[in-house]
Amino acid sequence: MTNPYVFYYVMKYPLPLEDEKKFFKFDLKSLPDFADDSFENINPRRDILEDLIAQIKKYQHLLADIPFLKWAFVVNSISFRGVHNNSDIDLFLVVQKNRLWIARLYAWWIFRKIRTTKSHKYKRFCLSFWVEEDQLELKNMSLAPIDIYLIYWIAHAVPIFSRGWNVVNFYIANKWIKEFLPWWQPKQIIDLNIPLLVKKVNKTNRLIDNIFGNVTNSMIYILWRPLMLIKAYWNGESLGVGTIIKKGVVKIHKDIRQQVISVIWK
């Protein structure tokens, strides 16, 4: 029998909580047979997880200082409660159309103030995945044959900031994952005990939400993108998969999805 929790087994993540499990079962017909039908649940590092959550709450207010930011979500290892000593705080950020590069520049300036020591590397904020509001549907980033990692990544995303827009729109835009998670509902499923911070429009929005803002965003893009591409090339990053750098999307992260898919479909 196919193991509906094969993803957690491969990733060495703890299983979801009992009230969450019903949302994370794959359609068994869409999965290959997997040798292990059962496995020992991994105990989450609750000490590290609580430390990371405390760090998020401490600096969560800084998100309100990023102009044109609409939503912010906690993703990757924290949203799976699968943290370890070197875990970053990975954020997925959604910004207003034609304002990604302005928002990203401000975010770099704001979060550069948060220094981490050698003994606390896991407290570092990683703002490496950005999309503009018209790029919410992530299906075009999905890998073949079935991108299990991305599907669970979307379902596990935890909203921590909103500029007054309904975060449910992100889940609704990605209802395509119900093809594989038929019991999933387009809403927040994971609760990390991080209250959603809701703020009004940033003052900078009002100042440059005009043609000048369009020009500024384009200029930052033209100047910054080549430098990022050169850095990605020298770091051996996979352009178009782990690394995407264009006007409406920036994704710079070590991409392990192909490895996960290869293990499951081998």
Side-chain angles (χ1 to χ4, degrees), residues 61-238:
H61 68 280
L62 294 178
L63 294 168
D65 295 331
I66 302 175
F68 307 108
L69 179 66
K70 300 187 77 168
W71 302 314
F73 297 80
V74 174
V75 293
N76 291 339
S77 59
I78 298 179
S79 67
F80 290 101
R81 305 185 183 94
V83 297
H84 50 76
N85 287 331
N86 293 315
S87 291
D88 290 332
I89 299 172
D90 292 306
L91 299 184
F92 170 62
L93 304 112
V94 181
V95 300
Q96 183 177 320
K97 184 174 174 57
N98 293 327
R99 293 294 182 271
L100 187 154
W101 292 84
I102 294 175
R104 195 170 182 274
L105 181 60
Y106 268 86
W108 172 81
W109 176 260
I110 292 165
F111 277 85
R112 88 192 197 290
K113 301 173 185 177
I114 304 175
R115 302 297 181 184
T116 55
T117 64
K118 290 183 179 179
S119 60
H120 294 91
K121 288 181 181 179
Y122 62 89
K123 287 187 176 183
R124 185 175 71 91
F125 281 83
C126 185
L127 284 66
S128 60
F129 194 175
W130 299 74
V131 300
E132 292 183 350
E133 58 189 317
D134 61 340
Q135 304 283 334
L136 283 180
E137 184 181 333
L138 304 181
K139 189 174 184 178
N140 63 334
M141 298 185 188
S142 181
L143 302 179
I146 299 176
D147 196 335
I148 290 182
Y149 190 96
L150 181 60
I151 292 168
Y152 273 112
W153 184 96
I154 291 169
H156 272 261
V158 178
I160 62 170
F161 175 80
S162 171
R163 189 80 73 186
W165 288 275
N166 194 339
V167 294
V168 173
N169 289 338
F170 166 70
Y171 303 107
I172 292 175
N174 287 284
K175 285 194 298 184
W176 60 273
I177 72 173
K178 283 182 68 67
E179 180 181 349
F180 310 102
L181 292 176
W183 295 278
W184 176 77
Q185 297 299 316
K187 63 179 183 179
Q188 178 185 353
I189 303 300
I190 304 299
D191 183 4
L192 295 177
N193 191 30
I194 304 174
L196 179 67
L197 176 64
V198 180
K199 290 290 184 179
K200 295 181 180 179
V201 174
N202 184 287
K203 291 180 180 178
T204 306
N205 287 41
R206 299 190 183 98
L207 291 173
I208 57 175
D209 195 10
N210 48 37
I211 295 177
F212 176 70
N214 294 339
V215 173
T216 302
N217 190 73
S218 296
M219 289 301 298
I220 297 172
Y221 168 73
I222 291 170
L223 294 173
W224 204 350
R225 183 174 183 265
L227 298 176
M228 295 172 66
L229 288 172
I230 292 171
K231 183 178 179 181
Y233 174 79
W234 285 111
N235 289 338
E237 296 172 7
S238 179

Side-chain angles (χ1 to χ4, degrees), residues 24-36:
F24 295 123
K25 290 185 179 180
F26 261 84
D27 179 353
L28 300 186
K29 294 179 182 179
S30 70
L31 285 177
D33 288 332
F34 195 76
D36 263 326

